[in-house]
Structures are given as structure tokens and as C-alpha cells.
Amino acid sequence: MEPPECPVCLQSYDGACTVPRVLACGHTACEDCLTNLPKKFPHTISCPACTVLVKFPSQGPSALPKNIDLLRLFPSSRQNYLKPSRNCENFVDFVPRSWSDDFYTIWKDRVLPYDAISVEDGQNDDGDSASSSLLFGCLRDEQRLSLLRVASFQHEETGSVFKYSYVRKMMECLFGMREEARYELDVILSAKQRGVCRVFGLWGNLEDGLLYLVGEKLSGFCLDEFDNLLEDNIPCFAVIGMQICETIFSLQKEGVITGCLSFSCVKFDGFGNAYVDLIELLEAGRNVNRLVLEEASQCSKPIGLIEMGAIIRGLLKKGTFLSPEVLFELLKKQKIVIASASSKYLVSYSSDVWPLCFVLLNFLFGKHFTDELFESVDCVDTKGNGEELEDFLALHTGLTEKIRFLLESKLEGKFESLCKTLCRCCSLDLHARPVVSDLWRCIRELIINSRFISMIGFDSTTSDKVKDSCLVIGELSQMIKKRSSELERDDLTGAENGRGANESEADTDFVGRLSEGNIKSKDMHGHLDCVTGLAIGGGFLFSSSFDRNIHVWSLQDYSLVHTFKGHEDKVMALVYINGEEPLCVSGDSGGGIFVWSISLPLRQEPLRKWCEPKDWRYSGIHALTFAEDGYLYSGSGDKTIKAWSLQDGKLVCTMSSHKSVVSALVVKNSVLYSGSWDGTVQLWSLSDHSLLAVLGEETPGTIRSILSLAADKQIFVAAHESGTVKVWKDDSFVKSIQIQSGAILSIALDGKWLFTGGWDKTITVHELTGDEIALDCKHVGSISGSSVVTSLLYWEGKLFVGFADKNIKVYYYGS
């Protein structure tokens, strides 16, 4: 067998270079490793074997005794120094969720705070609020916004006791979306190109239960203002055209294909610069999908010229222009395609040139351009039979001929290069169309000599992404607005489909059913005054109260089965001890400590009792806990912590260091943590009851009384009267969080779930997530209580809450 080795560096002990030194906990490590281990607190060290915090001499590890016996051992008889097994039981998952921490990290910063946006009343700009998915609003700084609906979530929680937090609802909504829709959202939110209106993020409206994409709202110009643009200001047209081309080209380099443009998509800032509004672009795409869907619902055979003409007229009426191949793709999605339609019409970057050309012509010729196109569509419509692909070719030919006629008649032979390029943009053959950069060069020649154009190194390469996104035929553009009843039905369907296979288990579905109103709650009446403590053990729930009694409740039907009586003062603290003989111990405001036997049949009188000495400053027992060393520890109003023997009530030790009432006690990893009204947490060694460290002295002069403590695994949490909690991980301070507006009187920590309750009559639920480096505390939801929350206990999928109005409520599911 291998010789004994240091648990840190794994070097074999030799008594010279690797000297074994014994720590107070009994474990051994080499002298060099103990020197280099980080010291979180002065004169203390965390044992590398058992992680217990122990005293460390100021002289260094050389002052610790050598493990002589270990050096003498043969390999066959060495001791194994292993880390003690942590609590590996499966904690009950209070709030089930499907999304991972990585998903949360990606999307959390893209969700805008709920109070950051105010929605404006009234209709959208075109007055058609019935069919539009757009709303308008303002940011806090009065920045005007466009809001486009992208998803719905369950916002009404009638009959539900649990209220999800705003961020939690948004995460569930995003995770419930199709992956393709999330990809498009990611593309749009990442679009920071020049000439694109800013997209700020996502915002959920809790009033209508809809998730909106929030973007900057700039001003648009009326077509009437461009009627004389051709005659008065060709350079103005050139500047606007180049800016739009640059924006489209920038989007293509990021893998975004628009496939559709409308006059309303072009916006202008205060300096007259042209922008493309992606929010308006998606709304235009939805108008296209709406028209196609309407024709699909009325057509039982492959679509022909009549239906195609109706779609084009509807698009022209809204000032929207769509390339033919994108239209074919939309018809294919609706399973109605033109007879004999070829598969050669594939959506690509050339699909952007067609609508871009029509928008530029709209700027160039004004509102009469649309009227001319209407005439060309109507003229062909009267000739077609509505069935063959040749009819569509005739329709297309009519449009292109009309464009060529307008260019020749309006420009009167001028700008020949521009005319040819614009005509090529309208080609049905994608390969015959120019690229966006060619169109940009052609427009630039209107104001700059062609010799200078050749000097510009315009990179004509587009995106090399594996997955390109065409916004018009994507998921977001196909989210046509539904009635509220349909949205509610979708929510219910999504909730049913999203449930996991283990939804009946207690560790995955407690809050899932709680939020749906399927969780039962039961009031447990019996106390006559404020409930001060809760404990579980031996198949019972124990509760203490100012009424001087301890009630014993059945965990089967939550009925009152027994009452322990004997206290002459208010019972302030309660603890269950699972030993050879299960016990319940209570402490009162008069200093009395009562030990109750849990063995059946339950007795009325205590097994034993004693009272600690009093003085004029004394205000009784405020906290109790039990440690593995076999002692009961009490926190008192005389600023001390006392260790008691359970056998005879003998006082073993008194620990004095706090400057005010010791209000909370908890044991973790063989260390006693004590919280006090003086605002500090002190760490005590259970081996010799010496003070190891003090937490909370970093901000002198700002005392915030500690009212409750909780610990689980590596996490330690302290609750303050200011409504904040402070979190430590492995005895290193992580963060301070403002959770409630009033004092937090009770906290409970179970695995990753943190529960708090206090003066604001609300139980809040937070989820602790993170890795060895960072810890995040996410607000998950809340439960409204009937009174001030004075005690909390979570056990096997059941949440027990004690209130100041003498009631106890348990939230559970099942029979």
C-alpha cells in the first residue's frame, strides 16, 4: 500500500520536507500546505480534510504538534483521511423549472424591468388597432418606444396562493417559445448595426399577459412630402437610398434577410438620417402573413392569378413590398402553391434587393407610384384565368414594364445606369439581380463622380453563418395577433405540454401546482397568541407561542393531537433533537428551559426542566440549537450563549462576546454561528467553545439587528431588521440583498431555496444558484399572508408558516 500522504499536495509524509501537523479537529496536513492555505479570518483556518473552521496559532504551523504516530505507521495500517460525507439527500425542489442556469444568464439582461416602461393609450399610427400587434410607450427618460407582441404568458393567477416574480414569468415564457423564434429574437436583440433603430430588450405587460419586443420609435415621413423629390432634390434621394442600402447590407453581414420592406419601416432621426425599424419590419411581415392566411382559408385549390392579385393589392395598400420567392415560401407554408411552381425560387440575400428597389422607387416617385402599380395589377387580373403559372408571369411582367415605363418617362433619359440597375432588381431570376452593394454604388453616382466610386473598397461579402434568418418567413412574423380567448387556450396547452414525466413527485411539482391553484392550504387553529417557532420530528409538527404552550400536530391530517403545558412565561424558541431518545426542547422569556419526551404516549409534564440565572438586564431565552457534541445551546437576552447538558440541565460553558441580545443560533460544519441585535454574527468552536471569528464588523456605526439565521451545506444566511439578507458561501461573504421593506423575522434555507417572511406579511421565495466563484439569488415568487410572518419551516414539499395572528398555515398537495 502507498505511504500516508498530505490530503492537499498528496505528497508522502517523511518528517523532513513533508512534516505532518495535527489540527484541533484531529486531522493532519503537511506544514507547507497549512502555511499556504488561505486564512479567511485572523488566527483561524479551514481544515482541508473536514472543512471545519479551527484555531490556528499566530506563530504558524510549526506551533502545532507533529503527528508522530502517523510517521511510525506502516502503509498497511495507515488511516484514511477523507472528507466527511456531506448531506447528499435529495432536497425537495420547491419551484420546478425547465430552463438551465446558462439559459438564465443569456436572457436575464435582455428583460427590461417592469416599471421601466409605461404604455401609451390610444391606437397605433395607422389607426388599425384591431389587427396590429404594435403598442407604443415610453421609457423612464421619456424615450418613445414601439412594442411588438412576441409571446403570451399566464398573467392571471386567480385562486393561486403563489405569485411568480416578474423575471421568473419572463424566463418561463421565453423557454416555452419555439427555438426558431428565440433564435430570431437573439438575432434582432444583437443587431447593433449603423442605421438600425435600437432594440432595447423584452418587456412583459402583467396587465394583458403579453411579452413585447421593445424598440426605439423614430419619426416617419408622409409620402406626400416626397412627391416633388424627383424634381427638387435628387441628392436627398441619393443620401436616403445609400443609407437604406448600407443598413440592409449590414444586416446581411449578420445573417439577417429582410425579404420584405415597407415605407413605414424607414424612419428618420433629428438630423435627417434614414433608419430601418426592425419592429416595423416584423409588423409588416405579420401583415403579409395575415393576407396570405386569409387567402389560404378561402382557397381549396392551388392558388392562381386572382388570389395572387388580391394578395399583391393588399400589400400595395399598406405600402409593403415582398419579393416573389418569399411569397412562394409563405404559400408553401400554408400548403397552397401556384400550379406548376418551380422549386428554383429559393430565399437568399438577393431577396432583399426586390423590396428595396420598390421602396426606393416609392421615395422617388411619391404616392402616385402605388397607384400606377394598382393599375398594372388590375389590368392583368382581367385577362387571367386564375390557375396557371403563366398568369403570374404575366402579372410580374406587367409590374416590371410599369416600372420601366415610369423610369423612362419620369427621368427622361437621365441616370441611365440607375434605371438599368433598378430594372434588374425587379428580375424574377435571382441570379440576374444585382447585389445591394452594386445598387449602393449606382445611387452614389448621383452625387459623386464615378471615378471616386471605384476608389471605395466596399466589401461585398455577406454572412458566413451556418444559419441565416429571414424575418418575414420566420416564427416572429407568423405570430398573427389572436383573440384573448385563444391566447388563454394557448397558455393552458403550453402548460400541459411542458409538464415533465415526474410531475406527481413532491420534489418537482410543488410550486408548479401551487401557481395553478391546485395546491391545498390548511389553517391549523389552536394557539391563543403569536406563533414563535416551528419544528418537525418523530412524525409530528411542534409549534410554540406566546400563549405559553407547545402544540403537537399530526403530519397526516394536520390535526392537533397534544399540548405540552408547563411554561409560566412566553415560549420564545423551540428545537427538536433526534437522538437515542427523541426530544423537544423549548425556552421561554423567563429563562426556563423545558425538555419534553416524544415517546408515545405523549405526557403532559416535561421530562426535565431548569432555569438559567437572571439579573436586571435579563430578558429570557431567544434562541435554541443542538450540536453533535451533545450539548444544547441557548442564546439569551443577557448577551451570552450557554451550553447545557441535556442529562441534568447542568451549565457547561458560557460564551460572552456579543454586545446585545443573542437572537439566533445555528450549527454548521462543527461551528456554532450566533446572531445578535448588535448586528454581528460570531463563529464559535464546538471543541473548546472559543471564539473563531466575527462577521459584520466591516461597517462600524451602522448596526442592523440580526433576527434570524439559516445554514445549509456551504451556504449561510443572516436576516436583518432592515429587510436585507446577507449571504456567505464557505464563510466568505458573497452579497447583501434587499428582499423586503420591513424587518425579516424568519428565514428558512433548504438546498437552493431561500424563504423569508416578516413585517410585510409576505413569504418570498428566492433561488440560490451559481458555481464555486459566483452566487446568484433569483427572486422566484411570493405568497401573501394574513398577518406578520413570525416563523417558517419547509419539509418534504410542505411549507409551514406561523403568523402573529396565532394561526399556522400549511401549503401542500395531495389528499
Side-chain angles (χ1 to χ4, degrees):
M1 297 181 66
E2 297 180 359
E5 59 186 23
C6 172
V8 180
C9 64
L10 303 181
Q11 297 296 317
S12 300
Y13 296 121
D14 56 13
C17 297
T18 311
V19 181
R21 298 288 180 176
V22 183
L23 296 172
C25 60
H27 291 106
T28 301
C30 74
E31 186 173 314
D32 289 342
C33 290
L34 292 177
T35 303
N36 297 323
L37 283 176
K39 314 296 189 297
K40 297 179 180 179
F41 308 109
H43 310 306
T44 62
I45 193 172
S46 181
C47 172
C50 67
T51 70
V52 170
L53 201 65
V54 296
K55 284 287 187 179
F56 191 74
S58 57
Q59 301 90 338
S62 59
L64 294 171
K66 287 185 180 180
N67 195 333
I68 304 299
D69 293 334
L70 184 61
L71 292 174
R72 293 175 178 174
L73 288 177
F74 288 101
S76 60
S77 59
R78 85 181 197 278
Q79 296 181 12
N80 293 321
Y81 295 94
L82 301 175
K83 293 183 180 180
S85 59
R86 292 185 179 270
N87 189 0
C88 297
E89 65 183 53
N90 294 324
F91 286 95
V92 174
D93 199 359
F94 187 74
V95 183
R97 61 176 171 87
S98 304
W99 36 272
S100 64
D101 292 336
D102 291 339
F103 182 88
Y104 177 81
T105 302
I106 292 172
W107 291 99
K108 67 174 182 177
D109 294 330
R110 294 174 167 181
V111 175
L112 301 175
Y114 179 69
D115 57 354
I117 295 176
S118 59
V119 178
E120 296 178 357
D121 295 328
Q123 294 180 332
N124 53 339
D125 288 349
D126 62 4
D128 188 12
S129 61
S131 60
S132 176
S133 301
L134 278 175
L135 288 180
F136 300 108
C138 291
L139 278 174
R140 293 170 179 166
D141 58 358
E142 301 303 319
Q143 166 74 55
R144 293 204 67 200
L145 303 171
S146 297
L147 294 89
L148 179 77
R149 180 186 64 82
V150 294
S152 61
F153 58 90
Q154 187 175 357
H155 65 291
E156 295 182 357
E157 298 174 313
T158 305
S160 172
V161 295
F162 187 82
K163 309 296 181 183
Y164 278 122
S165 68
Y166 167 73
V167 175
R168 170 89 185 190
K169 288 180 178 179
M170 299 306 104
M171 290 297 108
E172 291 288 356
C173 179
L174 285 168
F175 189 78
M177 295 175 64
R178 290 172 58 90
E179 184 178 354
E180 293 81 0
R182 283 202 305 269
Y183 176 79
E184 292 176 30
L185 280 179
D186 178 67
V187 170
I188 294 172
L189 292 170
S190 302
K192 307 296 181 185
Q193 290 78 13
R194 174 185 173 186
V196 177
C197 292
R198 287 182 297 171
V199 180
F200 297 106
L202 297 161
W203 179 74
N205 190 348
L206 298 180
E207 294 183 2
D208 59 14
L210 296 176
L211 180 67
Y212 291 93
L213 186 64
V214 181
E216 177 183 29
K217 187 179 189 302
L218 298 179
S219 299
F221 286 172
C222 178
L223 275 177
D224 293 337
E225 301 180 34
F226 291 89
D227 271 351
N228 298 319
L229 188 62
L230 179 64
E231 302 175 4
D232 299 341
N233 204 341
I234 283 293
C236 176
F237 163 78
V239 171
I240 294 174
M242 285 191 301
Q243 289 176 342
I244 298 175
C245 288
E246 291 167 4
T247 302
I248 298 298
F249 185 76
S250 298
L251 290 172
Q252 288 183 351
K253 290 181 73 67
E254 296 299 322
V256 178
I257 302 172
T258 59
C260 169
L261 274 179
S262 68
F263 189 77
S264 62
C265 296
V266 181
K267 305 293 183 180
F268 297 88
D269 64 6
F271 298 98
N273 296 310
Y275 286 78
V276 173
D277 191 335
L278 295 182
I279 301 292
E280 288 282 357
L281 180 61
L282 288 173
E283 177 64 10
R286 294 187 179 183
N287 289 331
V288 172
N289 278 272
R290 189 177 292 110
L291 285 172
V292 172
L293 184 61
E294 289 175 357
E295 290 299 325
S297 63
Q298 301 173 8
C299 185
S300 60
K301 60 182 179 178
I303 194 169
L305 181 65
I306 296 177
E307 293 82 7
M308 185 68 70
I311 293 175
I312 294 178
R313 280 194 298 272
L315 295 177
L316 292 176
K317 183 180 179 181
K318 291 182 175 291
T320 302
F321 306 100
L322 185 72
S323 62
E325 60 274 11
V326 175
L327 181 55
F328 283 147
E329 188 66 28
L330 291 175
L331 294 173
K332 190 188 301 181
K333 285 181 177 290
Q334 296 297 332
K335 299 185 178 359
I336 52 166
V337 295
I338 294 179
S340 306
S342 173
S343 61
K344 69 179 181 179
Y345 301 107
L346 300 176
V347 177
S348 66
Y349 292 108
S350 297
S351 303
D352 287 339
V353 181
W354 176 295
L356 177 58
C357 168
F358 277 79
V359 168
L360 293 178
L361 291 172
N362 215 2
F363 276 105
L364 190 61
F365 298 130
K367 64 179 181 179
H368 299 294
F369 174 71
T370 305
D371 297 335
E372 297 281 352
L373 294 182
F374 258 107
E375 291 181 5
S376 65
V377 172
D378 291 338
C379 181
V380 176
D381 191 16
T382 59
K383 299 177 182 179
N385 57 21
E387 294 182 359
E388 299 297 333
L389 180 61
E390 287 74 11
D391 291 335
F392 172 73
L393 297 177
L395 177 61
H396 168 262
T397 302
L399 290 173
T400 54
E401 289 179 352
K402 177 63 68 174
I403 292 173
R404 186 177 293 107
F405 171 77
L406 289 173
L407 288 171
E408 292 176 353
S409 60
K410 299 289 185 180
L411 297 181
E412 299 177 349
K414 301 177 183 178
F415 316 116
E416 182 179 355
S417 176
L418 177 63
C419 291
K420 290 182 178 179
T421 303
L422 291 176
C423 288
R424 287 173 55 205
C425 290
C426 301
S427 173
L428 195 60
D429 184 3
L430 276 73
H431 301 290
R433 298 177 193 170
V435 295
V436 177
S437 56
D438 291 339
L439 180 59
W440 175 86
R441 287 191 179 94
C442 185
I443 297 174
R444 189 176 176 88
E445 289 180 356
L446 298 177
I447 53 177
I448 296 180
N449 191 288
S450 59
R451 288 182 299 172
F452 295 97
I453 298 293
S454 62
M455 299 172 58
I456 300 174
F458 204 113
D459 182 12
S460 61
T461 59
T462 51
S463 170
D464 57 355
K465 289 187 177 182
V466 177
K467 184 177 181 180
D468 298 322
S469 177
C470 182
L471 298 183
V472 178
I473 61 177
E475 290 288 332
L476 295 181
S477 292
Q478 296 186 50
M479 293 179 179
I480 303 172
K481 188 173 182 180
K482 303 176 183 179
R483 297 185 298 273
S484 59
S485 59
E486 293 176 328
L487 290 175
E488 292 175 1
R489 185 167 62 250
D490 288 348
D491 291 335
L492 295 176
T493 304
E496 293 173 359
N497 295 337
R499 291 174 183 166
N502 298 325
E503 65 174 353
S504 61
E505 297 180 6
D507 62 342
T508 59
D509 202 39
F510 178 74
V511 173
R513 298 188 181 187
L514 189 66
S515 63
E516 297 172 5
N518 296 330
I519 289 295
K520 299 178 181 179
S521 63
K522 184 176 179 64
D523 290 322
M524 304 165 68
H525 301 290
H527 284 295
L528 303 177
D529 208 333
C530 173
V531 178
T532 57
L534 296 171
I536 279 184
F540 299 106
L541 169 72
F542 305 92
S543 61
S544 59
S545 170
F546 281 174
D547 64 7
R548 307 176 185 179
N549 295 326
I550 295 97
H551 285 342
V552 183
W553 308 84
S554 169
L555 290 176
Q556 302 299 320
D557 57 4
Y558 312 115
S559 61
L560 180 62
V561 297
H562 191 73
T563 300
F564 292 136
K565 298 181 178 180
H567 283 282
E568 298 179 357
D569 297 281
K570 298 176 181 178
V571 183
M572 304 289 290
L574 189 68
V575 65
Y576 172 79
I577 300 174
N578 186 21
E580 294 182 1
E581 181 183 10
L583 302 172
C584 177
V585 183
S586 55
D588 61 38
S589 59
I593 298 178
F594 287 56
V595 180
W596 311 89
S597 174
I598 310 302
S599 301
L600 297 177
L602 299 175
R603 297 189 297 177
Q604 186 81 28
E605 65 280 357
L607 189 64
R608 64 185 69 89
K609 61 180 179 179
W610 63 87
C611 189
E612 58 181 4
K614 304 179 183 179
D615 58 26
W616 63 274
R617 302 169 299 174
Y618 186 73
S619 60
I621 305 292
H622 285 255
L624 289 172
T625 191
F626 181 76
E628 59 266 27
D629 59 2
Y631 294 139
L632 175 74
Y633 293 89
S634 63
S636 305
D638 61 359
K639 313 174 188 178
T640 66
I641 305 164
K642 299 180 177 65
W644 305 89
S645 170
L646 281 175
Q647 302 300 321
D648 52 11
K650 180 181 178 181
L651 179 62
V652 177
C653 176
T654 299
M655 293 166 273
S656 301
S657 179
H658 281 293
K659 299 177 182 178
S660 186
V661 173
V662 180
S663 55
L665 296 172
V666 68
V667 173
K668 182 175 79 79
N669 293 340
S670 299
V671 174
L672 175 66
Y673 294 75
S674 60
S676 170
W677 289 1
D678 62 13
T680 65
V681 177
Q682 299 186 0
L683 284 64
W684 305 85
S685 170
L686 292 182
S687 58
D688 58 4
H689 298 138
S690 61
L691 181 63
L692 297 173
V694 178
L695 309 178
E697 291 184 325
E698 300 84 0
T699 54
T702 56
I703 299 177
R704 296 181 177 88
S705 298
I706 294 175
L707 304 181
S708 183
L709 299 176
D712 191 22
K713 292 187 177 179
Q714 304 101 328
I715 306 299
F716 170 74
V717 183
H720 296 257
E721 66 173 348
S722 59
T724 62
V725 297
K726 292 185 177 181
V727 184
W728 286 264
K729 186 175 183 180
D730 292 327
D731 295 323
S732 296
F733 178 74
V734 177
K735 62 174 59 182
S736 178
I737 311 166
Q738 184 73 35
I739 289 184
Q740 297 185 351
S741 56
I744 298 177
L745 301 180
S746 180
I747 59 176
L749 183 63
D750 186 273
K752 61 182 178 181
W753 302 109
L754 174 65
F755 310 89
T756 63
W759 280 104
D760 62 2
K761 304 179 183 180
T762 301
I763 303 103
T764 60
V765 183
H766 284 76
E767 182 183 5
L768 302 177
T769 60
D771 50 26
E772 297 298 327
I773 300 176
L775 184 71
D776 193 10
C777 187
K778 308 171 187 175
H779 180 214
V780 176
S782 60
I783 301 174
S784 298
S786 58
S787 179
V788 173
V789 180
T790 54
S791 54
L792 289 169
L793 177 65
Y794 184 71
W795 175 79
E796 292 188 359
K798 303 175 181 65
L799 181 64
F800 298 89
V801 184
F803 294 97
D805 63 359
K806 67 190 177 184
N807 290 325
I808 302 172
K809 185 179 286 287
V810 55
Y811 301 97
Y812 67 100
Y813 63 87
S815 57

